[in-house]
């Protein structure tokens, strides 16, 4: 039910929620003996998974990882094993001690299910593995991701109930009147066939104000048997997903029975405490049943464990409404899978608490798609200060000083979105009872569309409070329309293909507009924005008459200003209006001018950035693709450009101190905007941009760098990406002794098993793993053809015997310079069993006269074997010469300047490496020397007898551009 957030992994965000969510999944506690048994490695074994910002060891279970096997290997999955060699190798390496399905009793969708709704989720391929190796969980997840056979891998997160301290002096149960539940009960008091799942800390099962509304499973009485064959023994009265001990979670049938149920008992009473029984309080759901699903340990009710499996349990056991009054760090794919399963496979509505941080960023599960997220108001409809808000918080309900049931047959007040959420869940139960044929999606939209607007009570937050505060009477008596734009995409206007919204772009925003409730008549949708960098070209579209459940695909047109800044979000609103009086709004956000772009035209997927990095835009590897070959492993930890002239002037944005997270140099800055697509590409995918080394401050060379990337999709050309860098000297002084190259820290398979080597014939440096079936990856120097290559293979571990220096402690400017400038200095690394390796591959030295330039070109190459890699690099070299070589300007930077300067009679032009014509002009522009040269040897230019002054030496390469120098004659 949330606004859809559409993004590309590690790359630019195309369509995001109204604010960015770095949110949560279930936070699991660290199990004794499995938390980092030894100090974490200086650099993780895998870079493919990253913990959410702020996560600590208390937020997840150490030694436990969750993963979902790709659909390709579905038939290899069984209850107790996953017969996938790549996964088995990783589990063996981790010392796996237990492997189990996370959702052992949830069936795969049938063909009929998928025909009814193709969004149905198969949870039979989701597993939890416990392991004994001293490997942090984020690295264990990364190793599984690297194997190429899982859709996702992540820690087993722990959640915490979200509520603020209570104040018992507030009025008791003011919420019932505020949401018009008292009025609604005259029409609808709920029904015992409507079931509300309370996924929480458990429920006091003998509380006199709850016991009559608890759902009982008469098909499985308590007799030690699984009478109903659902996989749970004696789940007569709910289920405990955790059990007694937080450090040893083990499910059982005790969904109550300890003080740990304090939070869940209060939540259950808000949703549906028994009404009309002359005892205590009345829950909003009145007669609706409650199914307790306990997701905390008896010895610690402050954590939610197995919350997402709890959602699935609720969905599988008939819950129409599932309440989740908790939030957590991270945004795990497991959570979205569980919610989608409940929503589409089981037609349930998941109701979530927005969170108690007072910001526009809800926690998960509130930030997921297909949930109804609830914020909290007080008695006067003013948003409570602690409540989150924003576009994903679609409705509000009372959440301040809510009087409800508590542990040990008692009552009391609590405050928080934890209370607002079950108040809304109880209201949803009444809606379901009134409209029994409604799906969960329809129930949620019915509640949303019948809210009372509260912008007037909250003027500073107008437009950020969803539809307002729920009104149950309206929800059960009105018949509104509700249209949502699903699966939004940003497309190029000319090609119709997905594209990021770069500066100057003309775009389409395409979505599937679905009518969820009452049919519409003559419906129009209008797009507006608050961004000055966006112009709406086609802002109104006619959606016409849409029947219930009917959808139509339509597009808006926008353009982005050529001067739009990088990485700035633009906020949009879709306003719906039809001839029958239906009005509604929907908000979303687009990130303009992303500063990095993903290259995905062929088998080598990687990322180009505006700061000289390749693969990842940041030093923690959260943004970008790395280097993924043939949809398999990521092969690269870090890669990027280095340009230097001496040991204190090496411009780069690469590792400096190998801490975790690492500290990197940050020298390159975009000039004139971020990466952009080339309008007339010579390849299937071509990007370009301009950057300087201004970030180096006083240590800048300085240098301006025009970068290009080229990728082709055709077979034979699909295993490499070409990176071209044209370096220009913008200063009035010559730049001498210039070297340029690429640093690559390879992580192929297990990083510590890597080897690096050098193919001198091809000027190809490469790396691979000594593990079976290793991919090969490398960098080949393509141009200038006459330049001398440089190469150094580095063992990352500085303490390895015979290793002169590594990078496991620091990678200083001096070390970067030594690796870049000393020719082919060390050709191999990872000797023997292998190690963590890196390479520096470059060319030089060049001399750059003022405003002069040189183009240095590399191919980033991958293959299945060394021969395959070499063939791919040969194809890159041939294609570069054929397609791009003529376009590359020959420049003085590829040559040594004439010497001596000043000259007293003899001037020597060093060998150019290219045939052409050498000319010398005096101050009046007269040519005083002209001769042809093969470029194979130096040319001595006689200037004896010439008058003192400034002369110009010009070399014109055959078929190329002229290059000139100024020289003085004494």
């Amino acid at each position: 039910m949330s606004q859809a957030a559409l993004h590309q992994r590690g790359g630019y965000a195309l369509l995001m929620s109204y604010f960015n969510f770095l949110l949560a999944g279930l936070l699991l506690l660290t199990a004794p003996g499995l938390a980092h048994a030894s100090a974490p490695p200086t650099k993780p074994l895998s870079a493919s998974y990253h913990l959410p910002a702020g996560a600590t060891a208390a937020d997840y279970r150490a030694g436990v990882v969750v993963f979902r096997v790709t659909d390709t290997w579905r038939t290899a999955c069984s209850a107790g094993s996953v017969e996938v060699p790549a996964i088995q190798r990783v589990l063996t390496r981790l010392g796996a001690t237990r492997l189990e399905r996370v959702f052992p009793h949830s069936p795969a969708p049938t063909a009929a299910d998928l025909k009814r709704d193709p969004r149905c989720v198969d949870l039979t391929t989701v597993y939890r593995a416990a392991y004994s190796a001293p490997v942090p969980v984020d690295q264990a997840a990364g190793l599984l991701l690297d194997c190429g056979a899982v859709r996702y891998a992540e820690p087993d997160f722990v959640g915490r109930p979200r509520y603020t301290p209570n104040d018992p002096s507030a009025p008791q149960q003011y919420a019932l009147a505020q949401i018009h539940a008292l009025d609604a009960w005259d029409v609808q008091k709920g029904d015992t066939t409507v079931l509300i799942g309370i996924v929480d800390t458990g429920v006091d099962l003998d509380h006199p104000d709850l016991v009559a509304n608890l759902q009982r499973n008469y098909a499985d009485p308590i007799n030690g048997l699984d009478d109903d064959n659902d996989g749970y023994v004696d789940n007569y009265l709910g289920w405990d997903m955790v059990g007694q001990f937080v450090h040893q979670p083990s499910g059982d049938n005790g969904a109550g029975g300890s003080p740990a149920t304090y939070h869940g008992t209060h939540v259950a009473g808000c949703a549906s405490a028994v009404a009309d029984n002359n005892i205590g309080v009345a829950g909003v759901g009145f007669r609706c049943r409650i199914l307790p699903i306990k997701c905390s340990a008896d010895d610690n009710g402050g954590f939610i464990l197995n919350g997402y499996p709890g959602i699935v349990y609720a969905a599988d056991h008939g819950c129409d409404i599932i309440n989740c009054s908790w939030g957590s760090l991270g945004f795990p794919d497991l959570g979205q899978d569980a919610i989608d399963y409940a929503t589409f496979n089981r037609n349930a509505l998941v109701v979530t608490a927005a969170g108690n941080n007072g910001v526009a960023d809800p926690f998960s599960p509130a930030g997921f798609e297909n949930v109804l997220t609830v914020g909290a108001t007080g008695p006067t409809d003013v948003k409570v200060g602690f409540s989150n808000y924003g576009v994903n918080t679609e409705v509000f309900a009372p959440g301040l000083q809510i009087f409800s049931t508590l542990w040990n047959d008692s009552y009391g007040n609590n405050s928080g979105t934890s209370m607002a959420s079950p108040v809304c869940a109880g209201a949803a139960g009444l809606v379901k009872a009134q409209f029994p044929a409604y799906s969960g999606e329809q129930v949620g939209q019915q509640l949303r569309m019948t809210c009372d607007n509260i912008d007037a009570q909250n003027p500073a937050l107008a437009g950020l409070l969803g539809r307002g505060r729920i009104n149950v009477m309206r929800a059960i008596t009105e018949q509104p329309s509700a249209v949502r734009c699903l699966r939004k995409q940003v497309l190029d206007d000319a090609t119709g293909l997905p594209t990021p919204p770069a500066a100057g772009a003309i775009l389409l925003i395409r979505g599937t507009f679905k009518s969820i409730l009452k049919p519409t008549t003559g419906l129009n949708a209008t797009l507006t924005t608050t961004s000055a960098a966006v112009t709406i070209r086609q802002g109104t579209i006619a959606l016409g008459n849409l029947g219930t459940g009917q959808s139509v695909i339509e597009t808006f047109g926008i353009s982005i200003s050529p001067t739009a800044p990088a990485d700035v979000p633009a906020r949009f609103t879709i306003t719906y209006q039809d001839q029958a009086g239906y009005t509604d709004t929907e908000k979303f956000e687009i990130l303009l001018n992303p500063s990095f772009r993903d290259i995905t035209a062929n088998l080598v997927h990687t990322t180009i950035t505006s700061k000289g990095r390749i693969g990842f835009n940041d030093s923690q590897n959260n943004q970008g693709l790395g280097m993924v070959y043939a949809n398999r492993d990521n092969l690269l930890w870090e890669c990027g450009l280095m340009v230097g002239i001496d040991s204190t002037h090496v411009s780069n944005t690469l590792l400096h101190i190998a801490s975790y997270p690492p500290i990197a140099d940050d020298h390159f800055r975009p000039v004139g905007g971020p990466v952009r697509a080339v309008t007339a590409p010579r390849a299937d995918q071509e990007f370009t941009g301009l950057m300087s080394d201004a970030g180096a401050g006083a240590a800048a060379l300085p240098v301006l760098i025009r970068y290009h990337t080229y990728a082709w999709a055709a077979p034979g050309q699909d295993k490499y990406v070409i990176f071209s860098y044209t370096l220009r000297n913008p200063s009035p002084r010559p730049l001498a002794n210039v070297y340029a190259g690429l640093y690559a820290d390879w992580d192929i398979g297990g990083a510590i098993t890597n080897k690096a080597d050098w193919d001198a014939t091809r000027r190809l440096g490469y790396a691979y793993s000594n593990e079976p079936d290793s991919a090969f990856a490398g960098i080949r120097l393509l141009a200038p053809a006459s330049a001398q290559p440089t190469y150094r293979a580095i063992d990352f571990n500085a303490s390895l015997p015979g290793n002169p220096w590594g990078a496991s402690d620091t990678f200083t400017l001096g070390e970067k310079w030594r690796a870049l400038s000393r020719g082919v200095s060390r050709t191999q690394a990872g000797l023997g069993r292998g190690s963590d390796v890196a390479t520096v591959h470059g060319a030089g030295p060049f001399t750059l006269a003022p405003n002069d330039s040189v183009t240095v070109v590399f191919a980033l190459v991958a293959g299945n074997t060394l021969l395959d890699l070499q063939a791919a690099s040969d194809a890159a070299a041939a294609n570069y010469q054929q397609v791009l070589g003529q376009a590359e300007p020959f420049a003085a930077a590829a040559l040594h300047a004439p010497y001596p300067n000043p000259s007293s009679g003899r001037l020597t032009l060093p060998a150019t490496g290219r045939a052409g014509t050498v000319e010398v002009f005096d101050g009046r522009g007269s040519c005083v020397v002209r001769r042809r040269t093969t470029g194979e040897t130096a040319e001595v230019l006689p200037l004896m007898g010439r008058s003192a002054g400034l002369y110009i030496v010009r070399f014109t390469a055959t078929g190329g551009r002229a290059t000139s120098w100024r020289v003085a004659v004494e």
Side-chain angles (χ1 to χ4, degrees), residues 10-12 567 594-598 607-610 617 623-624 674-675:
Y12 51 81
D567 298 327
S595 60
F596 51 96
R597 300 288 292 271
D598 292 335
T607 299
I608 181 68
T609 77
S610 299
N617 190 53
Q623 302 169 339
V675 185

Side-chain angles (χ1 to χ4, degrees), residues 387-413:
S387 176
N388 289 353
Y389 58 97
V391 68
N392 273 67
T393 308
E394 297 178 295
V395 302
F396 280 74
L400 179 66
Q401 297 300 320
I402 303 302
F403 194 68
S404 182
T405 50
L406 289 176
W407 159 253
N408 201 24
D409 303 346
S410 61
Y411 301 86
N413 285 299

Side-chain angles (χ1 to χ4, degrees), residues 2-3 16-19 21 360 389-394 463-464 466 586-588:
S2 301
Q3 305 295 332
M16 304 182 301
S17 299
Y18 198 59
F19 292 87
F21 304 132
Y389 58 97
V391 68
N392 273 67
T393 308
E394 297 178 295
L464 297 176
E586 184 171 1
K587 300 178 185 296
F588 62 94

Side-chain angles (χ1 to χ4, degrees), residues 60-383:
Y60 51 84
R61 297 172 64 192
V64 180
V65 65
V66 172
F67 62 92
R68 180 177 173 184
V69 180
T70 60
D71 292 343
T72 305
W73 293 100
R74 182 185 291 109
T75 57
C77 299
S78 62
S81 66
V82 179
E83 301 297 328
V84 180
I87 295 176
Q88 290 178 335
R89 285 197 294 268
V90 174
L91 294 179
T92 299
R93 181 177 178 184
L94 292 174
T97 59
R98 185 178 73 254
L99 179 69
E100 61 186 7
R101 278 181 166 151
V102 177
F103 309 104
H105 311 300
S106 300
T110 65
D113 291 333
L114 293 171
K115 183 177 180 181
R116 172 180 55 81
D117 195 326
R119 297 173 293 180
C120 288
V121 181
D122 183 0
L123 297 181
T124 64
T125 59
V126 182
Y127 290 85
R128 179 188 291 111
Y131 62 90
S132 59
V135 178
V137 292
D138 56 332
Q139 297 178 37
L143 291 173
L144 281 163
L145 286 171
D146 288 345
C147 83
V150 301
R151 293 184 62 171
Y152 59 78
E154 56 202 10
D156 205 357
F157 285 101
V158 176
R160 295 182 178 90
R162 296 284 174 183
Y163 62 91
T164 55
N166 65 336
D167 184 351
S169 63
Q172 297 180 341
Q173 287 200 280
Y174 70 90
L176 297 177
Q178 187 178 2
I179 67 172
H180 299 277
L182 301 175
D183 300 325
W185 287 342
D186 287 334
V187 179
Q188 176 59 253
K189 290 184 174 64
D191 195 276
T192 58
T193 61
V194 176
L195 188 57
I196 302 173
I198 304 297
V199 180
D200 213 286
T201 64
V203 174
D204 185 353
L205 299 179
D206 62 1
H207 196 294
D209 222 4
L210 296 174
V211 66
N213 274 357
L214 294 177
Q215 176 75 0
R216 289 161 177 77
N217 179 14
Y218 295 103
D220 195 359
I222 298 177
N223 58 9
L225 302 174
D226 180 11
D227 298 273
D228 57 358
N229 295 313
D230 66 348
Y232 300 91
V233 176
D234 292 350
N235 57 331
Y236 172 73
L237 198 58
W239 190 254
D240 185 347
M241 308 296 294
V242 180
Q244 295 183 5
F245 307 113
V246 69
H247 295 302
Q248 296 176 327
S250 178
D252 58 44
N253 68 341
S258 79
T261 64
Y262 174 94
H263 184 268
T265 300
H266 195 274
V267 167
C270 293
S272 199
V274 180
D276 262 349
N277 64 348
N278 295 315
I279 301 174
V281 297
V284 179
F286 208 99
R287 293 174 182 156
C288 295
R289 298 282 188 174
I290 296 169
L291 181 65
I293 299 101
K294 180 170 171 285
C295 294
S296 69
D298 293 348
D299 65 346
N300 190 328
F303 292 92
I304 296 293
L305 284 74
N306 294 333
Y308 294 119
I311 291 174
V312 171
Y313 178 94
D316 281 342
H317 288 80
C319 289
D320 304 286
I321 318 296
I322 303 171
N323 186 80
C324 301
S325 287
W326 41 267
S328 52
L329 289 172
F331 206 11
D333 292 310
L334 176 72
Q336 189 66 68
D337 273 351
I339 289 165
D340 289 350
Y341 177 85
T343 303
F344 304 123
N345 296 49
R346 299 301 191 190
N347 277 326
L349 171 66
V350 179
V351 182
T352 62
N356 299 334
N357 300 87
V359 297
D361 299 337
F363 286 89
S364 66
F368 284 117
E369 297 179 9
N370 306 315
V371 300
L372 183 68
T373 299
V374 188
T377 60
T380 61
D381 279 342
V382 174
K383 185 193 80 69

Side-chain angles (χ1 to χ4, degrees), residues 178-179 372-378 381-383 387-398 420 424 444-458 461-472 474 584-585 587:
Q178 187 178 2
I179 67 172
L372 183 68
T373 299
V374 188
T377 60
D381 279 342
V382 174
K383 185 193 80 69
S387 176
N388 289 353
Y389 58 97
V391 68
N392 273 67
T393 308
E394 297 178 295
V395 302
F396 280 74
C424 186
Q445 287 301 315
Q446 182 76 12
L447 269 174
R448 186 185 71 83
M449 286 302 304
T450 54
C451 284
D452 291 340
N453 187 288
I454 57 173
D455 282 353
Q457 292 87 342
N458 301 271
L461 297 174
L464 297 176
L465 302 177
R467 289 285 297 192
R469 188 251 310 127
I470 62 172
N471 182 323
V472 193
R474 292 182 59 191
D584 199 3
T585 59
K587 300 178 185 296

Side-chain angles (χ1 to χ4, degrees), residues 695-719:
L701 274 61
V703 64
L704 282 174
I705 304 167
R706 169 67 65 185
Y707 54 90
H708 274 84
T709 66
Y710 309 88
W712 290 266
Q717 309 296 334
D718 56 356
K719 295 183 180 180

